[in-house]
Amino acid sequence: ELMTGYTMLRNGGVGNGGQPWMLRWSSRIRLTWLSFTLFIILVFFPLIAHYYLTTIDDADDAGKRIFGPRTGNELCEVKHVQDLCRIRESVSEELLQLEAKRQELNSEIAKLNLKIEACKKSIENAKQDLLQLKNVISQTEHSYKELMAQNQPKLSLPIRLLPDKDDVTFPLPKSNRNCRLHNCFDYSRCPLTSGFPVYVYNSDDYPFGSSLDPLIKQAFEATVRTNVYVTENANIACVYIILVGEMQEPIMPKPTELEQQLHSLPYWRTDGHNHLIISLSRKSETQNFIYNISTGRAMIAQSTFYDVQYRPGFDIVVSPLVHAMSEPNFLEIPPQVPVKRKYLFSFQGEKIESLRSSLQEVRSFEEEIEGNAPADYDDRIITTLKAVQDSKLDFVLVEFTCKNQPKASLPTEWALCGERDDRLELLKLSTFALIITPGDTHLVISAGCAMRLFEALEVGAIPVVLGEQVQLPYNDVIRWNEAALIIPKPRITEVHFLLRSISDNDLLAMRRQGRFLWETYFSTSDNVFSTVLAIIRTRIQIPAAPIREEAAVEIPHRSGKAAGTDPNMADNGDLDLGPVETEPPYASPKYLRNFTLTAMDIYRNWNSAPGPFHLFPYTPFDPVLPSEAKFLGSGTGFRPIGGGAGGSGKEFQAALGGNVPREQFTVVMLTYEREEVLMNSLERLNGLPYLNKVVVVWNSPKLPSEDLLWPDIGVPIMVVRTEKNSLNNRFLPWDEIETEAILSIDDDAHLRHDEIMFGFRVWREARDRIVGFPGRYHAWDIPHQSWLYNSNYSCELSMVLTGAAFFHKYYAYLYSYVMPQAIRDMVDEYINCEDIAMNFLVSHLTRKPPIKVTSRWTFRCPGCPQALSHDDSHFHERHKCINFFVKVYGYMPLLYTQFRVDSVLFKTRLPHDKTKCFKFI
């Protein structure tokens, strides 16, 4: 039945053929309903879902949220999400563990990074230590090779063997007049290493002491007390000195009495060998009372000698002691310019007793040429000089008769006229001063001639000595032809022509040399006594005693604060002129030539400064140093020539090169109670190449703060305490300075490392000059007829301020111990001008201007407190200083220059490995 019904439906009808249209309608209704249902589901359900999804966050009550979050327990109640919950909890726990591990690993990584940085620093420090050790080894090997090449092993001083006190085995010469050093001097008492000890008898212990001139005796005793060679132990003395003159006329002992007293001296030893008898003259009429005394083998030093009495190379002609107990007043000494004065030459004198006049003898000129010279040329001299005066071709002043009573004099000697002040006033107006030697040719020198020479040199009148037989003071060690004209008397008719033909430059050179001789060897009792001792010591070839250095009293201070890095200092760019390797502190070699001096240097000993104009007798820049080279401290003296590394680029940068391959410099920094500024300046020196040490001159009586921590800059910092607040302390030759090169720098000066290194390189090429950074110049004020100090920007300069400058330690000795005290007193009075004084000194000595490096004009650190130079009175004081210094020196020694030294790197940027050199503009 079922199959029958199904068949009927397929056939479209029921019964008799069914109803097919009903089936078709039913099928269509089902399809429509299905389509409608699908449409409703596909269209309205997303809209409803979208609506609820967009309104989830707007529900205030969490319980009303249809799709709101459920709690874990609620979700876990659902069976099919329990597994997902467990998985989530497991994953969360694992994530927390991984985060903890990650943080732990990050902490370990940070610790390892710190260890790596520390290891890197340790490696860098080890590399630096290794480089320093290599440099030390290299220096040691180099020094060893030098010693081996020179074959000069270091020796200890020989043991001194002293002769017996009563030694009488010394061979006697045939005559005392034949005495020379080789036969009348006992060298065994004066070993090379003895130091030249000198014993001075006390004249008051002997009867003739009461007859001595009180002023001369007082001046002599004061000089002896301060001389470095004088000893109180007579048993070790090399030379014994006794003062016997100048004697006072009324109480002068008889010659026999004086001779007996000399022979009774405790160390006379029968013949007086190694004794020096000194007779100083304060007056022109001093008599030669030693002439009739037997002095044995004793040397004689006095101002009057006869030819039968004078023993060349043994006796000494000394200058008169005019300023016995007073220092010369430099303000009363006339200036050296203008070169030509009112009178071409002058002469005042009167001859009390003359020899036979040559004009009274009818003799031909041909006979005189043949060698039959007249006995006395004085009459011809008088006639010629009067003719020159009457011709009025030049202003000359000659007077052969004194207006007042002439001074007493020796026979045939021209007596002085008038008082000393009157004679000096005339010489101040004279370009040349005539000195006519005595007519008696046996009188080789007299006190009157020596007095005329002294007065002429004192006021700048060039001496013209008529008579070539004269023995001028210290003639065996001074080249008098550089300061005076010595003309034979037969050339009297040519004197006028000769004086007119001398150029102004030569005149000025002779006048300056004469001023130098007068200041160094004539002016004071100290100079006279020191010169006499220096002559004897030079003759027997004993080195001079080293000049004293200023003992540095160190102020204890704490150091250890790591110095920072100044960005202005670190950013040198292509201007890095420093070395690749930094050497450890290395002192300059000592001066070791003292024991190899010979007599061939004797003239250079006293006149060896470079150039014709100088205030001081010697410098360390001449290849042949004098035996009187007192400056034997650390780093003074001439250095042997050595080969530089040369090259360009990195090779040039890595080595200083030049004639002194290994060299360092010392920074000397003056400060006064500016601790913060000082610390910043010291920190800027950290890592500076070729720096040996820093000497901080603490110029304040108040000591630094006890809690002040000084920076560690890699080299020693020596803080030196001074006795008083003085700007002169900047140039004291401190014993802690062990290098030749000194960089004097203010505590507020701001210099980069490349600038300092460049200045050091330039100074090494000009060691005798000041090389620095801030330039200044002097100018002549026409309305006020005086000199002015000028700090305006200019292409021309004559000074380099020592607030940032290199100079040789030699000049520190000269500034502190040799330069006239009046200049240092002026610096202390104004608390100013010490830099001008140093420029005057160096220019006066070398006759060269300073050298400015780099184009910068000012070097003050930004933000530093104002210094003394900002005071309104600063420039007025410097004007006064310049004019005062000119009076002391007698002329303006400063020289203008338009020369400046720059590195090409200041103008052109070049790659680091390309050529680096200097450019001079």
Side-chain angles (χ1 to χ4, degrees), residues 864-880:
C864 289
Q866 288 191 350
L868 294 175
S869 58
H870 291 84
D871 193 348
D872 294 337
S873 62
H874 176 75
F875 287 96
H876 297 289
E877 294 173 350
R878 293 173 86 80
H879 299 330
K880 295 179 181 178

Side-chain angles (χ1 to χ4, degrees), residues 138-154 586-590 592 639-643 659-662:
S138 176
Q139 291 176 7
T140 305
E141 291 177 350
H142 184 74
S143 300
Y144 177 75
K145 291 179 180 179
E146 286 182 347
L147 291 175
M148 294 301 295
Q150 297 173 0
N151 193 21
Q152 293 181 353
K154 294 185 177 180
Y586 171 75
S588 297
K590 305 285 185 178
L592 300 175
R639 294 288 164 267
I641 296 178
N659 296 328
V660 187
R662 294 181 300 161

Side-chain angles (χ1 to χ4, degrees), residues 778-795:
H778 67 289
W780 179 250
D781 183 9
I782 297 179
H784 297 88
Q785 294 294 294
S786 62
W787 293 102
L788 295 177
Y789 171 84
N790 202 314
S791 63
N792 296 332
Y793 292 88
S794 172
C795 295

Side-chain angles (χ1 to χ4, degrees), residues 80 357 457 556 670 708 718 801 824 829 869 914:
H80 65 275
S357 175
L457 295 176
L670 188 72
L708 182 63
M718 173 70 66
L801 303 187
R824 294 190 292 271
E829 178 182 354
S869 58
K914 299 299 182 182

Side-chain angles (χ1 to χ4, degrees), residues 579-597:
V580 175
E581 299 178 359
T582 302
E583 297 188 30
Y586 171 75
S588 297
K590 305 285 185 178
Y591 177 64
L592 300 175
R593 191 168 171 252
N594 286 343
F595 293 102
T596 60
L597 297 170

Side-chain angles (χ1 to χ4, degrees), residues 567-577 752-755 909:
N568 295 327
M569 180 183 67
D571 186 16
N572 288 329
D574 292 335
L575 304 182
D576 187 8
L577 299 177
R752 299 196 310 268
H753 282 195
D754 62 282
E755 293 173 324
R909 296 292 180 178

Side-chain angles (χ1 to χ4, degrees), residues 185-475:
F185 191 86
D186 186 4
Y187 280 89
S188 64
R189 301 200 64 87
C190 307
L192 290 176
T193 59
S194 64
F196 191 61
V198 175
Y199 179 79
V200 180
Y201 291 100
N202 187 359
S203 300
D204 292 334
D205 295 340
Y206 306 96
F208 64 83
S210 59
S211 303
L212 295 176
D213 186 305
L215 288 179
I216 288 183
K217 183 169 64 173
Q218 185 178 357
F220 183 78
E221 292 174 350
T223 299
V224 167
R225 284 194 297 267
T226 59
N227 194 275
V228 297
Y229 297 106
V230 175
T231 179
E232 296 181 358
N233 187 356
N235 294 323
I236 67 170
C238 169
V239 175
Y240 301 84
I241 298 178
I242 182 67
L243 177 68
V244 298
E246 177 176 56
M247 293 284 188
Q248 294 177 305
E249 291 288 344
I251 54 177
M252 181 185 299
K254 296 180 180 180
T256 55
E257 295 177 354
L258 180 60
E259 179 179 331
Q260 183 179 1
Q261 295 174 24
L262 290 177
H263 292 181
S264 62
L265 293 174
Y267 303 99
W268 187 260
R269 298 185 181 90
T270 69
D271 58 3
H273 62 270
N274 290 45
H275 274 65
L276 174 66
I277 302 174
I278 296 183
S279 177
L280 300 175
S281 59
R282 194 168 59 89
K283 306 174 184 177
S284 62
E285 59 269 22
T286 301
Q287 301 296 317
N288 185 10
F289 63 91
I290 302 181
Y291 180 72
N292 296 320
I293 295 177
S294 175
T295 56
R297 291 174 171 168
M299 296 174 286
I300 299 176
Q302 61 180 11
S303 299
T304 303
F305 278 104
Y306 285 97
D307 57 357
V308 296
Q309 179 189 17
Y310 180 68
R311 296 163 292 186
F314 193 74
D315 294 327
I316 302 174
V317 179
V318 299
S319 62
L321 189 59
V322 178
H323 301 287
M325 291 302 298
S326 62
E327 293 289 335
N329 189 350
F330 291 99
L331 299 181
E332 296 180 357
I333 299 176
Q336 299 183 24
V337 290
V339 177
K340 293 183 179 178
R341 300 175 177 177
K342 178 180 180 180
Y343 298 112
L344 177 64
F345 62 83
S346 64
F347 177 81
Q348 285 182 325
E350 182 174 341
K351 196 169 186 179
I352 306 302
E353 179 182 353
S354 68
L355 295 176
R356 186 177 45 180
S357 175
S358 62
L359 297 181
Q360 295 176 358
E361 298 181 2
V362 183
R363 302 179 56 152
S364 65
F365 183 74
E366 290 76 8
E367 291 177 338
E368 297 175 4
I369 293 298
E370 292 175 357
N372 299 321
D376 192 354
Y377 277 96
D378 289 353
D379 291 340
R380 178 172 295 181
I381 292 173
I382 294 173
T383 303
T384 303
L385 295 181
K386 283 185 176 180
V388 173
Q389 185 178 23
D390 295 339
S391 67
K392 300 185 183 300
L393 294 175
D394 289 293
F395 285 105
V396 299
L397 191 150
V398 290
E399 296 178 355
F400 301 104
T401 303
C402 296
K403 298 178 181 178
N404 300 319
Q405 183 67 26
K407 304 294 182 181
S409 61
L410 297 176
T412 74
E413 182 185 18
W414 287 91
L416 293 171
C417 296
E419 299 298 328
R420 168 177 158 80
D421 293 340
D422 298 332
R423 297 194 300 269
L424 292 180
E425 290 300 322
L426 175 59
L427 291 174
K428 291 178 181 179
L429 302 175
S430 305
T431 305
F432 296 94
L434 295 185
I435 301 175
I436 305 176
T437 59
D440 186 359
T441 56
H442 297 294
L443 186 59
V444 295
I445 186 63
S446 65
C449 286
M451 185 65 70
R452 289 181 183 272
L453 179 67
F454 180 95
E455 293 176 352
L457 295 176
E458 181 178 5
V459 297
I462 300 173
V464 179
V465 182
L466 296 178
E468 77 283 3
Q469 81 282 356
V470 68
Q471 298 290 335
L472 296 180
Y474 321 124
N475 62 316

Side-chain angles (χ1 to χ4, degrees), residues 388-675:
V388 173
Q389 185 178 23
D390 295 339
S391 67
K392 300 185 183 300
L393 294 175
D394 289 293
F395 285 105
V396 299
L397 191 150
V398 290
E399 296 178 355
F400 301 104
T401 303
C402 296
K403 298 178 181 178
N404 300 319
Q405 183 67 26
K407 304 294 182 181
S409 61
L410 297 176
T412 74
E413 182 185 18
W414 287 91
L416 293 171
C417 296
E419 299 298 328
R420 168 177 158 80
D421 293 340
D422 298 332
R423 297 194 300 269
L424 292 180
E425 290 300 322
L426 175 59
L427 291 174
K428 291 178 181 179
L429 302 175
S430 305
T431 305
F432 296 94
L434 295 185
I435 301 175
I436 305 176
T437 59
D440 186 359
T441 56
H442 297 294
L443 186 59
V444 295
I445 186 63
S446 65
C449 286
M451 185 65 70
R452 289 181 183 272
L453 179 67
F454 180 95
E455 293 176 352
L457 295 176
E458 181 178 5
V459 297
I462 300 173
V464 179
V465 182
L466 296 178
E468 77 283 3
Q469 81 282 356
V470 68
Q471 298 290 335
L472 296 180
Y474 321 124
N475 62 316
D476 55 343
V477 293
I478 292 180
R479 280 191 283 190
W480 278 105
N481 59 348
E482 294 184 354
L485 295 174
I486 302 176
I487 303 174
K489 286 185 177 180
R491 294 193 179 275
I492 182 58
T493 57
E494 301 172 320
V495 168
H496 185 208
F497 167 79
L498 178 61
L499 300 184
R500 287 282 301 269
S501 64
I502 300 177
S503 66
D504 289 354
N505 289 337
D506 292 337
L507 288 177
L508 187 58
M510 297 180 71
R511 182 171 295 165
R512 288 173 178 167
Q513 178 67 9
R515 172 73 175 270
F516 153 68
L517 295 177
W518 180 80
E519 288 182 350
T520 309
Y521 310 120
F522 290 73
S523 57
T524 64
S525 58
D526 286 340
N527 292 340
V528 172
F529 185 67
S530 298
T531 302
V532 171
L533 293 185
I535 290 176
I536 299 175
R537 185 185 47 72
T538 304
R539 287 175 177 176
I540 61 179
Q541 300 178 350
I542 294 181
I547 194 170
R548 70 179 180 92
E549 293 190 298
E550 202 70 22
V553 180
E554 184 178 7
I555 299 177
H557 61 281
R558 294 189 304 151
S559 61
K561 182 178 68 172
T565 301
D566 190 337
N568 295 327
M569 180 183 67
D571 186 16
N572 288 329
D574 292 335
L575 304 182
D576 187 8
L577 299 177
V580 175
E581 299 178 359
T582 302
E583 297 188 30
Y586 171 75
S588 297
K590 305 285 185 178
Y591 177 64
L592 300 175
R593 191 168 171 252
N594 286 343
F595 293 102
T596 60
L597 297 170
T598 60
M600 64 180 295
D601 297 327
I602 195 167
Y603 279 104
R604 302 185 69 92
N605 294 344
W606 307 86
N607 303 276
S608 63
F613 321 127
H614 33 269
L615 175 67
F616 312 107
Y618 34 77
T619 67
F621 317 111
D622 198 2
V624 180
L625 276 180
S627 61
E628 188 62 14
K630 302 177 184 177
F631 310 98
L632 307 179
S634 300
T636 60
F638 178 74
R639 294 288 164 267
I641 296 178
S648 60
K650 292 184 178 179
E651 292 81 6
F652 175 80
Q653 177 185 350
L656 282 176
N659 296 328
V660 187
R662 294 181 300 161
E663 188 169 20
Q664 294 180 339
F665 61 90
T666 302
V667 168
V668 176
M669 186 177 295
L670 188 72
T671 187
Y672 187 90
E673 295 184 4
R674 298 201 295 181
E675 295 180 353

